[in-house]
Amino acid sequence: MALVPTTGADGAAVFTEVNMGSSDLSSTVRATVIQASTIFYDTPATLDKAERLLAEAASYGSQLVVFPEAFIGGYPRGSNFGVTIGNRTLKGKEDFRKYHAAAINVPGPEVDRLAAMAGKYKVVLVMGVIERDGYTLYCTVLFFDNQGCYLGKHRKLMPTALERIIWGFGDGSNIPVFDTPVGKVGAAICWENKMPLLRTAMYAKGIEIYCAPTADSRDVWQASMTHIALEGGCFVLSANQFCRRKDYPAPPEYVFTGTDEELTPESVVCAGGSVIISPSGAVLAGPNYDGEALITADLDLGEIARAKFDFDVVGHYARPEVLSLIVRDDPATPVCFTSDGSHK
C-alpha cells in the first residue's frame, strides 16, 4: 500500500491511498472513493472540482469512483435552519432558500454533465447529490455507467434527526442495484446502512459492490462497514467528506451550532474516515482521517464467491420458511391523475 501525494483543487496536498495487491487481473476492478469537501452554495464550482478529482482517479486506472453523501449541493453540517418546536426563523427560511438553490434537478443539466464526465473518463460513477423535486429536497445517489449513460438514482429512505426537516423520504421504487461493467452496484446512504431490512433487499438484488456514501466520521462507523461486508459477502466502499470550517461560508451567513468547541477556519468539522473493505472483512484501503484524499484499491471479484461459500445471507443461509421480507417497490405518490395513466 502506498500514499501518493498529489495536488488538490485548492493547491493543498491530496493523498491517494492505493492497495495494488491482486492475484487475478481478469477479475479485478480498480475502485476509488473520493474524500473531499463540497464548495458550499456553489454548485458549478463543486462540479468543476468533481471533474478534477474524477480525472485524477481515472489517471490511476480507476474503473469505479464513489463520491460522498451530498457532495453536489452540500451536507449542511452544523446548521439548524432556525428550527425549534413550534417556530421557524426568517434567517432559517432564507438558509433553506439558498440550500434549495444549490440543489439539482434529476434529470437536469448537472446530471447531463455528470454523465458526460463518466463517459469521458470511462468510469462507473456513483455521486451523492441533493436533489430538488419542486420545493422538496432529497438526499440522493446518482449512478452512471462508463459509457456516459445515467442509470438511475437512490433516494435516502430515512433522513436522520434534523435531516428530516430539510429532506424528503425516499420510497421502495428507488432501491436499485445496477448490473454494470464492474459488477452489480448499489448504494445506501449514511445511517440507512443500519437498516437491516434495507440491506436485505439489496442483498436479494445481488449487490456485489455496496457503496455507502456517508457523513459519519466516527470510529464506530468502521464497525458497521465491516459488518455489512461480512454479512452481504460484498465489497463495501464508504466515501465521506473531509471538511474544515473554512469550507463553509463564514459567519454570520453560516452559523455552526451543536458544538461547544470554538471553531477557527482551520477546525476540522468532518474528519472523513473513507474506507474500502473486502467481502472477508479485510480493510483494503483507509480509513483515512488525514485530509482530502483519493482512496483506491483493487477489488478481486473472486472474493465474493469465496466469502459466500461460508455465508450467503439470502441464499443457503436464509430460512424463508421462518423469516421473510416483503418490499413495497411501487412509487409512493401523493396525487394520481387518471388521465395520464398514473392511477392504477
Side-chain angles (χ1 to χ4, degrees):
M1 183 179 295
L3 284 174
V4 183
T6 61
T7 302
D10 58 359
V14 173
F15 290 90
T16 304
E17 187 172 340
V18 183
N19 183 333
M20 306 292 279
S22 177
S23 58
D24 181 3
L25 295 180
S26 65
S27 64
T28 297
V29 170
R30 181 158 293 179
T32 294
V33 293
I34 302 292
Q35 180 166 288
S37 65
T38 301
I39 302 174
F40 212 81
Y41 289 153
D42 193 339
T43 296
T46 302
L47 284 164
D48 290 343
K49 181 175 184 178
E51 180 157 10
R52 289 192 294 269
L53 293 166
L54 193 61
E56 183 150 5
S59 75
Y60 290 105
S62 292
Q63 300 157 275
L64 168 68
V65 179
V66 181
F67 279 78
E69 177 180 12
F71 185 78
I72 306 296
Y75 187 82
R77 186 174 299 277
S79 179
N80 61 18
F81 289 87
V83 173
T84 54
I85 299 299
N87 187 54
R88 273 75 58 199
T89 67
L90 291 176
K91 183 182 185 305
K93 292 181 179 183
E94 175 60 12
D95 289 344
F96 181 79
R97 184 200 65 77
K98 291 187 289 187
Y99 190 53
H100 180 272
I104 67 171
N105 293 319
V106 181
E110 294 85 1
V111 178
D112 293 342
R113 181 174 177 190
L114 290 168
M117 287 161 49
K120 178 179 179 180
Y121 298 105
K122 305 300 181 188
V123 299
V124 173
L125 173 61
V126 180
M127 175 63 74
V129 307
I130 300 303
E131 177 191 358
R132 180 175 58 225
D133 188 351
Y135 289 95
T136 295
L137 302 180
Y138 296 92
C139 184
T140 298
V141 171
L142 305 181
F143 300 85
F144 305 86
D145 71 14
N146 58 5
Q147 301 301 306
C149 294
Y150 167 63
L151 299 177
K153 68 185 178 185
H154 165 62
R155 285 177 172 174
K156 194 172 190 177
L157 280 175
M158 191 62 202
T160 300
L162 197 68
E163 293 174 357
R164 298 171 200 167
I165 300 295
I166 55 169
W167 295 338
F169 292 30
D171 63 35
S173 68
N174 47 65
I175 311 173
V177 171
F178 295 104
D179 196 354
T180 77
V182 300
K184 294 180 179 178
V185 179
I189 307 168
C190 205
W191 279 21
E192 281 189 316
N193 288 283
K194 297 183 177 185
M195 299 171 69
L197 302 185
L198 173 60
R199 297 198 307 268
T200 302
M202 295 170 66
Y203 300 150
K205 291 186 175 186
I207 193 166
E208 296 170 329
I209 300 177
Y210 184 118
C211 302
T214 190
D216 192 339
S217 61
R218 299 172 305 155
D219 290 344
V220 71
W221 180 251
Q222 303 302 319
S224 290
M225 298 298 96
T226 300
H227 172 77
I228 291 168
L230 289 168
E231 177 183 69
C234 53
F235 290 95
V236 172
L237 282 63
S238 183
N240 193 8
Q241 298 194 32
F242 182 94
C243 305
R244 299 184 186 274
R245 175 62 184 87
K246 66 184 180 182
D247 293 316
Y248 289 82
E253 180 184 7
Y254 194 102
V255 177
F256 263 78
T257 60
T259 177
D260 296 328
E261 180 185 354
E262 189 69 29
L263 297 178
T264 71
E266 295 299 324
S267 296
V268 175
V269 295
C270 184
S274 302
V275 69
I276 300 176
I277 302 176
S278 81
S280 67
V283 175
L284 301 181
N288 184 302
Y289 298 100
D290 299 326
E292 292 203 337
L294 279 68
I295 300 165
T296 298
D298 287 340
L299 315 183
D300 175 5
L301 300 184
E303 278 295 306
I304 297 170
R306 290 191 284 271
K308 291 196 176 186
F309 173 69
D310 293 329
F311 182 85
D312 186 352
V313 66
V314 291
H316 63 77
Y317 225 92
R319 288 292 305 277
E321 75 282 11
V322 179
L323 304 166
S324 61
L325 171 66
I326 296 172
V327 179
R328 296 173 179 84
D329 57 1
D330 292 327
T333 55
V335 180
C336 296
F337 295 94
T338 58
S339 60
D340 65 11
S342 62
H343 179 70
K344 297 181 180 179

